[in-house]
């Protein structure tokens, strides 16, 4: 199954002391680590990344074929996702996650992609990983989710709450990466 990827990376990262996209992990910026991984699991023309406008040339140097979409770094994550969906519509199932989620685990992505067929047959709008009873990331969105997501108001709506109110499928996963999120400096260093 060909999938798409929507990576949210435009934030200012105030709690981390700067934009998370450019924080280093094992000698590479998080955004570069994600691109290295994503290019191994999907074609570059299926990768859309929200970024700050001033990063455009720097990001194109990471990979020129990916779609780099400048957005307002102070806007809600939902607004960034909507900007990505407008520029790269969901034509197939699409993964969504933030740059501060170190999801470099191909088996995790494969497990979610494998659940997409049943989810589609069941009318589910998303597949969400679950490990030891806890929801995780990335979220895999159905193409049918695009129109309702684009109708949400980023000033008052959130993707996670919208997902909770709609038909979704859980995929049990073994990867501990599904629950990782580096929201603060302490998270990244632990």
């Amino acid at each position: 199954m060909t999938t798409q990827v929507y990576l949210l990376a435009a934030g200012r990262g105030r709690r981390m002391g700067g934009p998370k996209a450019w924080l280093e992990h094992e000698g590479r910026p998080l955004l570069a680590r994600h691109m290295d991984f994503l290019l191994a699991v999907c074609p570059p023309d299926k990768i859309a990344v929200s970024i700050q406008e001033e990063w455009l040339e720097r990001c194109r140097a990471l990979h020129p074929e990916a779609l780099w979409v400048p957005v307002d770094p102070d806007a809600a994550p939902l607004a960034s996702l909507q900007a990505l969906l407008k520029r790269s519509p969901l034509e197939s199932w699409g993964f969504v996650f933030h740059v501060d989620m170190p999801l470099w685990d191909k088996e995790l992505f494969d497990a979610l992609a494998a659940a997409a067929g049943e989810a589609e047959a069941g009318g589910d709008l998303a597949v969400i990983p679950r490990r030891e009873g806890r929801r995780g990331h990335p979220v895999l969105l159905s193409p049918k989710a695009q129109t309702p997501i684009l109708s949400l108001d980023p000033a008052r709506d959130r993707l996670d709450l919208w997902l909770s109110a709609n038909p979704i499928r859980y995929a049990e996963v073994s990867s501990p990466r599904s629950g990782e999120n580096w929201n603060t400096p302490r998270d990244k260093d632990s």
Side-chain angles (χ1 to χ4, degrees):
M1 166 174 96
T2 301
T3 57
Q4 296 172 253
V5 174
Y6 301 93
L7 178 60
L8 306 176
R12 294 197 190 279
R14 289 182 179 97
R15 288 180 292 177
M16 293 290 280
K20 296 173 190 175
W22 303 112
L23 292 176
E24 291 206 359
H25 175 69
E26 298 180 357
R28 304 247 313 140
L30 289 178
L31 187 52
R33 290 284 316 263
H34 279 296
M35 288 305 294
D36 291 345
F37 171 76
L38 292 173
L39 290 167
V41 297
C42 97
D45 63 334
K46 297 295 183 184
I47 300 170
V49 186
S50 64
I51 59 168
Q52 294 182 27
E53 175 115 29
E54 60 267 20
W55 303 347
L56 193 54
E57 291 310 311
R58 186 177 182 188
C59 291
R60 285 181 178 151
L62 285 176
H63 204 286
E65 292 180 54
L67 178 61
W68 303 99
V69 179
V71 300
D72 179 354
D74 294 315
L78 179 58
S80 289
L81 175 59
Q82 289 173 327
L84 293 175
L85 289 171
K86 287 175 186 174
R87 290 283 309 277
S88 179
L90 263 171
E91 297 169 352
S92 60
W93 287 77
F95 293 102
V96 177
F97 59 100
H98 295 261
V99 74
D100 63 356
M101 298 172 176
L103 302 173
W104 310 302
D105 183 340
K106 187 173 181 326
E107 289 179 19
L108 172 60
F109 283 73
D110 289 346
L112 295 174
E118 285 182 26
E120 190 163 347
D124 298 311
L125 295 178
V127 178
I128 299 175
R130 186 166 54 190
R131 181 175 182 265
E132 298 174 354
R134 295 182 54 134
R135 291 169 49 146
H137 293 88
V139 171
L140 182 60
L141 294 175
S142 162
K144 294 176 184 171
Q146 176 162 314
T147 299
I149 289 172
L150 288 175
S151 70
L152 296 174
D153 179 355
R156 69 167 201 272
D157 296 322
R158 291 182 15 180
L159 182 63
D160 59 337
L161 297 177
W162 179 83
L163 287 168
S164 295
N166 282 282
I168 59 172
R169 180 163 307 264
Y170 288 104
E172 297 299 325
V173 298
S174 60
S175 174
R177 291 259 186 221
S178 69
E180 288 188 48
N181 189 338
W182 294 339
N183 286 322
T184 65
R186 190 199 74 213
D187 295 335
K188 183 179 171 293
D189 296 335
S190 57

